[in-house]
Amino acid sequence: MDVIRFFALVLGSIIWNVLQELEQSGFSWGALLFAALEQWQSWAIGGVLLLLFGLCWWLRKRSRQPASSSKEMAEEEEEVNSCVAGDVDIILLKRLLDLQKFFLMMDELLHMCQMLSRNTFRPQLQPAVRVRSALEGWSVCEDDAVYHLLVPLKPPRGHAFHLELRNKRERPVRKCRVRVELECTCRRERLVEDMLCFLHHPEEELRRNQAASLLETFCTGPYLDMEKSTRWFQVLVKAAWVVLPQSTQHRLIVLRSRRSCKLRLTNTSNSPQLIEMTFVVQQDGLDTFLSIE
């Protein structure tokens, strides 16, 4: 509208000048033609001004439009990001709470396993070490994560573990073999009277009055056999899970595995969690856990 108004003003001014000159010189077609020819400069200037003004107006309008649209896009993107951030915070909080409940459940499961295997000549289970924490390598959309738990073993009464490190050139050393030896428990036998000494009682008396030693059940030669230990632990986990009250709301399946105990835990929302429990032993005087070959 501004361009049209400007053009009308310029054209009106030119026509007015022509009419004024016609009145002064007397009306004739020759005078009209001469006056029009005299005004060609005014027409040209007016046209140029009109084009320049229109071009400036168009460029100004075009420069403003992307700025406003980009601003609107930035505002929309900021709003979307804030909504997404809020949803992510809620999901993270829920996941962390679920993860905390999960670890508490695993602690209770291992504690029940300890209770069932207490006062036996089986490997003694210790509280699990969490290899994977709540935030280590974990994302919001990670539904198929495998949570690794290290379960330290200690020898039962009357037995001793001796670690034989393998691949000593590797630093740090991560694997070992566990050699099992019998220890004298005669003094304990006199004080507590809860077991017979494996070293100083006849084999017939031991078979008749006491369960077999760890060397006879879970070892291949003098070394602890991980496959035998794993099979025993899998059976123990099943027995312990039935006793826990969480078994009414969750389903636990023991998966087949030769050297670790793999579990699939499913809650009421059918969201599975995979757990792998691996036996380890602690080096004497160190906070280092070694996996058992």
Side-chain angles (χ1 to χ4, degrees):
M1 294 301 293
D2 294 336
V3 176
I4 296 175
R5 187 179 301 170
F6 176 79
F7 177 74
L9 290 175
V10 174
L11 182 60
S13 176
I14 295 173
I15 294 174
W16 175 259
N17 291 333
V18 173
L19 293 177
Q20 289 294 326
E21 292 183 5
L22 288 174
E23 291 179 358
Q24 294 176 2
S25 60
F27 180 80
S28 66
W29 288 106
L32 178 62
L33 179 60
F34 179 76
L37 291 174
E38 283 186 340
Q39 297 296 326
W40 72 270
Q41 292 180 345
S42 300
W43 284 92
I45 295 173
V48 171
L49 291 175
L50 179 62
L51 291 175
L52 290 176
F53 183 82
L55 182 61
C56 293
W57 176 80
W58 179 75
L59 291 175
R60 187 177 181 183
K61 182 177 180 181
R62 185 177 180 183
S63 63
R64 286 182 176 181
Q65 184 175 2
S68 60
S69 61
S70 61
K71 183 178 181 181
E72 292 176 357
M73 291 177 61
E75 292 177 353
E76 292 178 359
E77 184 177 357
E78 183 178 357
E79 184 177 355
V80 170
N81 290 337
S82 62
C83 294
V84 172
D87 294 340
V88 169
D89 290 340
I90 294 175
I91 295 174
L92 278 173
L93 180 59
K94 184 178 183 300
R95 289 287 182 90
L96 290 176
L97 292 176
D98 292 342
L99 197 62
Q100 184 65 24
K101 292 180 181 179
F102 160 74
F103 281 126
L104 289 175
M105 191 182 306
M106 291 299 101
D107 289 341
E108 293 183 13
L109 176 62
L110 282 175
H111 179 70
M112 183 57 63
C113 290
Q114 291 174 348
M115 297 295 291
L116 294 179
S117 61
R118 186 178 57 181
N119 296 327
T120 65
F121 302 114
R122 301 291 184 265
Q124 298 301 296
L125 306 171
Q126 305 302 306
V129 179
R130 302 172 186 177
V131 176
R132 183 157 189 178
S133 63
L135 299 178
E136 179 184 354
W138 177 73
S139 64
V140 178
C141 300
E142 194 173 21
D143 291 328
D144 56 350
V146 179
Y147 297 98
H148 297 276
L149 300 178
L150 301 182
V151 182
L153 297 182
K154 286 189 175 182
R157 40 195 186 137
H159 299 74
F161 284 170
H162 298 280
L163 309 186
E164 294 184 358
L165 304 182
R166 303 293 296 271
N167 299 325
K168 295 183 179 180
R169 296 179 181 178
E170 179 185 4
R171 289 292 182 270
V173 179
R174 298 178 180 176
K175 295 183 179 180
C176 70
R177 291 198 302 175
V178 178
R179 181 166 49 86
V180 180
E181 291 184 356
L182 296 175
E183 289 185 332
C184 177
T185 57
C186 292
R187 183 176 180 182
R188 177 189 178 100
E189 182 180 349
R190 291 193 299 268
L191 294 176
V192 184
E193 296 183 356
D194 61 342
M195 67 170 293
L196 302 176
C197 179
F198 284 108
L199 292 177
H200 300 105
H201 281 273
E203 292 185 3
E204 293 183 1
E205 183 183 2
L206 291 173
R207 292 195 190 98
R208 186 172 59 251
N209 299 313
Q210 189 164 268
S213 69
L214 187 64
L215 272 173
E216 299 178 64
T217 54
F218 287 179
C219 292
T220 299
Y223 296 101
L224 186 65
D225 191 312
M226 289 309 301
E227 292 189 23
K228 295 179 181 179
S229 302
T230 299
R231 288 196 298 268
W232 161 76
F233 184 60
Q234 291 171 347
V235 175
L236 184 63
V237 166
K238 293 179 181 179
W241 176 251
V242 175
V243 182
L244 294 180
Q246 291 89 339
S247 60
T248 59
Q249 299 178 351
H250 298 74
R251 184 184 181 189
L252 184 71
I253 299 177
V254 179
L255 306 177
R256 289 187 177 183
S257 180
R258 296 177 58 187
R259 301 184 64 84
S260 65
C261 185
K262 296 182 179 180
L263 311 174
R264 179 186 289 118
L265 180 66
T266 306
N267 55 22
T268 54
S269 61
N270 293 325
S271 177
Q273 291 175 315
L274 299 178
I275 309 104
E276 183 176 12
M277 296 184 179
T278 305
F279 289 137
V280 295
V281 288
Q282 186 175 6
Q283 280 186 282
D284 295 335
L286 299 175
D287 294 331
T288 304
F289 293 94
L290 305 178
S291 60
I292 306 173
E293 289 188 346

